[in-house]
Amino acid sequence: MQIQSLTDIGRKRQVNQDYIYVSAEPVGAFPNLCILADGMGGHKGGDFASRYLTETIVGFISRTRTNDLVKVLRNAIKMSNRLIYEKSHSEPELQGMGSTLVAAVIEDGILTVANVGDSRLYLIRDGITQVTRDHSFVEEQVRLGKMERDSEEYLKNKKFITRAVGIDENVEADYFEVELEQNDQILICSDGLTNMVDDDTILEIVSGHGSLLYKVRTLIDTANENGGYDNIAVILIKADSKEDFKTGRTAGLKSDSREDSVKGGSYDA
């Protein structure tokens, strides 16, 4: 298994509110863990929310020993939601903060995913499939048949999300399971990528030649070339063989960074 990840501040924002965590090593009872969070809520709130959410979930999972992945993720998300909600109501500078979330773990060839908000996880296998479902106003209207995807009205209202961690007292995540095949690629990304780069272009880049790090950098560069209106976060995973997931083989960390605007790392396992 190979993993590469980077975040970039983009060309318009002053603060990077996207936050990523990647571990090919076990985290508690989890054999590996990837998290992407896109914060919201003012100059300080969004940056704090995404980082605090990620660190809280990782801490919770680190202390668990049960291998019921969905149960652990659900409890971790509920606890994190409560803590962020309480902080946002007790500290004025953090009022209204919240964060999207995509958390993913691979065990025995099965990808388990939790998501809240409009950050996404895609499966690239003979095409591109969005595994997660956006919790956004426009996608809810599309599902109800009241709006056409990529219409003028859709694009105008795309930024409004209907669910995020920390906004309300309670939050429910969606959960998905995918059986992986050899050479599958898994892309986790914030809307700073998907609002700037369409699915066909994402597929062309991820399915093309080059290393995973080259693909991650190309995705970020393309988003910036198309405007870079938001922070951009990308995690790209490749399933070299299904046996790698079953044996849980891991190797060391190879760090990577691009100037001060980037947070990220790369792992080969």
Side-chain angles (χ1 to χ4, degrees):
M1 178 170 64
Q2 303 175 52
I3 310 175
Q4 296 281 358
S5 60
L6 289 173
T7 74
D8 188 272
I9 198 169
R11 293 187 172 177
K12 303 294 183 180
R13 299 296 179 94
Q14 300 300 312
V15 177
N16 191 349
Q17 297 184 333
D18 287 359
Y19 200 86
I20 53 179
Y21 173 88
V22 176
S23 177
E25 301 289 342
V27 180
F30 285 30
N32 47 70
L33 180 63
C34 293
I35 295 174
L36 185 150
D38 179 358
M40 63 198 77
H43 183 75
K44 291 184 178 179
D47 179 49
F48 179 87
S50 59
R51 178 175 54 83
Y52 187 65
L53 169 62
T54 303
E55 292 175 349
T56 303
I57 289 176
V58 171
F60 183 93
I61 293 173
S62 298
R63 295 188 295 273
T64 62
R65 293 296 175 262
T66 176
N67 59 0
D68 187 334
L69 303 181
V70 171
K71 181 179 179 179
V72 174
L73 285 170
R74 181 179 288 114
N75 289 338
I77 292 167
K78 286 185 175 181
M79 182 193 71
S80 301
N81 181 80
R82 185 183 71 252
L83 292 174
I84 294 171
Y85 181 80
E86 290 173 354
K87 273 190 171 292
S88 73
H89 284 74
S90 63
E91 301 181 30
E93 68 274 17
L94 300 178
Q95 186 175 3
M97 70 175 175
S99 180
T100 70
L101 171 72
V102 177
V105 57
I106 297 168
E107 184 174 53
D108 293 334
I110 302 295
L111 169 69
T112 300
V113 185
N115 97 280
V116 180
D118 63 352
S119 295
R120 295 178 176 178
L121 184 146
Y122 289 95
L123 176 69
I124 289 86
R125 176 202 297 165
D126 300 324
I128 183 169
T129 302
Q130 182 179 336
V131 174
T132 53
R133 184 177 68 176
D134 293 357
H135 299 135
S136 65
F137 169 75
V138 293
E139 282 299 318
E140 289 190 358
Q141 294 301 298
V142 169
R143 286 192 287 271
L144 292 171
K146 296 181 178 180
M147 187 181 295
E148 185 176 342
R149 186 175 285 111
D150 296 328
S151 64
E152 182 178 348
E153 185 180 9
Y154 181 98
L155 296 174
K156 183 173 67 174
N157 293 286
K158 196 174 181 180
K159 65 181 178 180
F160 299 111
I161 66 173
T162 56
R163 205 183 301 181
V165 181
I167 298 297
D168 297 314
E169 287 188 80
N170 299 293
V171 69
E172 290 295 333
D174 287 342
Y175 299 90
F176 307 88
E177 287 189 348
V178 179
E179 186 172 354
L180 297 173
E181 297 180 3
Q182 186 173 348
N183 295 321
D184 280 350
Q185 295 186 84
I186 301 153
L187 172 66
I188 308 172
C189 58
S190 63
D191 66 345
L193 177 70
T194 54
N195 286 341
M196 296 289 102
V197 186
D198 61 48
D199 285 5
D200 288 341
T201 304
I202 290 174
L203 174 61
E204 181 180 357
I205 292 169
V206 175
S207 299
H209 298 293
S211 66
L212 258 62
L213 181 57
Y214 170 80
K215 294 175 183 179
V216 168
R217 286 175 165 167
T218 302
L219 289 169
I220 290 175
D221 289 343
T222 303
N224 278 325
E225 288 164 5
N226 290 345
Y229 293 116
D230 200 353
N231 310 141
I232 309 152
V234 176
I235 301 172
L236 187 58
I237 307 165
K238 184 177 181 184
D240 289 325
S241 72
K242 199 168 181 179
E243 280 305 307
D244 286 341
F245 298 123
K246 290 186 175 180
T247 58
R249 289 177 291 170
T250 58
L253 165 69
K254 298 188 299 181
S255 62
D256 185 272
S257 62
R258 289 172 54 196
E259 303 178 348
D260 292 337
S261 63
V262 171
K263 297 176 288 185
S266 61
Y267 300 75
D268 290 327

